[in-house]
Each structure stands twice: as C-alpha cells, then as structure tokens.
Amino acid sequence: MSISITVRIELKGASEVCAISADQTAGQLLEQVLGEDGQDYEVLYAGNPVGANTTLSGLGIMDGEEVEVVIGKRMSAKLYLKQEGFEVTGAEFIQAVESGKISYVQKFIDAGIPVDFVGEHNLTALLVASINGNAEILEILLQNGADVSQYHKLN
C-alpha cells in the first residue's frame, strides 16, 4: 500500500500528486520528484525540514494517508541561524553546545564554525559537551572531526 502525497514545489509554483510507500525516505521522494536536481532542495513537512534519511513512517505518516509536503530550495546554514536570531560566531556555537541545542550545533558546523573552536576559559566545544554530559552533541562533534587530543589545563 502506498501513501498519496501532494507535493508542492516552491520555486516552480507547481503541485503534483505522488504515490509512495511509508518506508521511503525524504531523499527518495526528492529523487522521485526532481531527479538529480534534488540535491539543492529539501523536504518540509508541517513546516519543518526533514532529514534525507528520514522515512515517511518515521514522521508519523501512515499508509493510506494523503498529506502535503513542500519541496523547497535548501536554506544555507548561515541564513537559517540568522533567521533563528543567532549571530554566526564561535561564541554562539559554544553557547548552543552548552545549552544542548543539538540541531543548532550541527547548523553552526555546517555554517563553517570550526568544530574545535576554543571559547571562553579556553574550553573547546567537545569539553563543554562533556562537562554537560550531552552524548548526542559529543557524537555530532566527533563525527565532524573534533580533536580529542586537545586538552584544557585546569587552574
């Protein structure tokens, strides 16, 4: 059984209906609708970006449902952060790590903030995440090449 999805393509102003299964990913939907041109676009569901590897059933969409998703031009990480009220600086990156804002941490990295940025009190993002016990952020930092050999000399 497949889901009937109405897809609205923002830049082209067009709508079309696709039939896909709930176990397909957002990336597969992009490929089905846009072909190879899909790499510069993203899927939005209920106004939120959907990761390329997220299945539609993972969004709570079940077989037999008719839902609307939007395919729009992918927003740059810097623009996204600015729209969310952030300055794209290393200090704000460290604050996002400290406050546990997982999606923002990845956006700061995507925007070009060095994963090993050293902030106030000579603390790296990796050390701040460790101190706060945030395993998810630690994993993001390590997956993006954080240097585990950097250390902090306590006073």
Side-chain angles (χ1 to χ4, degrees):
M1 183 176 247
S2 57
I3 303 170
S4 175
I5 294 185
T6 303
V7 179
R8 187 176 76 239
I9 303 172
E10 284 187 345
L11 294 182
K12 298 179 182 175
S15 289
E16 61 181 87
V17 176
C18 305
I20 62 172
S21 70
D23 62 350
Q24 281 188 285
T25 65
Q28 290 169 322
L29 174 62
L30 283 173
E31 189 175 311
Q32 180 178 333
V33 174
L34 298 175
E36 291 184 21
D37 294 333
Q39 63 192 358
D40 293 331
Y41 291 82
E42 65 184 346
V43 173
L44 300 167
Y45 177 65
N48 298 308
V50 176
N53 295 322
T54 302
T55 62
L56 300 173
S57 61
L59 296 172
I61 301 171
M62 305 310 293
D63 282 333
E65 277 189 73
E66 186 167 323
V67 296
E68 181 179 87
V69 296
V70 175
I71 295 177
K73 192 79 169 163
R74 187 178 307 278
M75 185 183 301
S76 78
K78 284 183 181 180
L79 180 58
Y80 174 84
L81 288 166
K82 286 182 179 186
Q83 285 187 348
E84 291 293 309
F86 289 97
E87 293 296 320
V88 185
T89 65
E92 294 240 353
F93 169 59
I94 296 292
Q95 287 177 338
V97 169
E98 187 172 16
S99 59
K101 295 180 178 173
I102 296 166
S103 63
Y104 293 135
V105 170
Q106 185 62 58
K107 289 290 186 188
F108 274 103
I109 294 168
D110 294 345
I113 298 296
V115 71
D116 289 319
F117 179 82
V118 178
E120 191 176 2
H121 306 294
N122 206 28
L123 298 175
T124 63
L126 195 60
L127 187 54
V128 171
S130 282
I131 290 168
N132 288 302
N134 195 318
E136 289 177 275
I137 290 179
L138 281 168
E139 182 149 343
I140 290 170
L141 296 171
L142 291 170
Q143 287 175 348
N144 284 280
D147 183 359
V148 296
S149 67
Q150 284 189 324
Y151 67 94
H152 179 267
K153 182 178 178 183
L154 299 174
N155 294 336

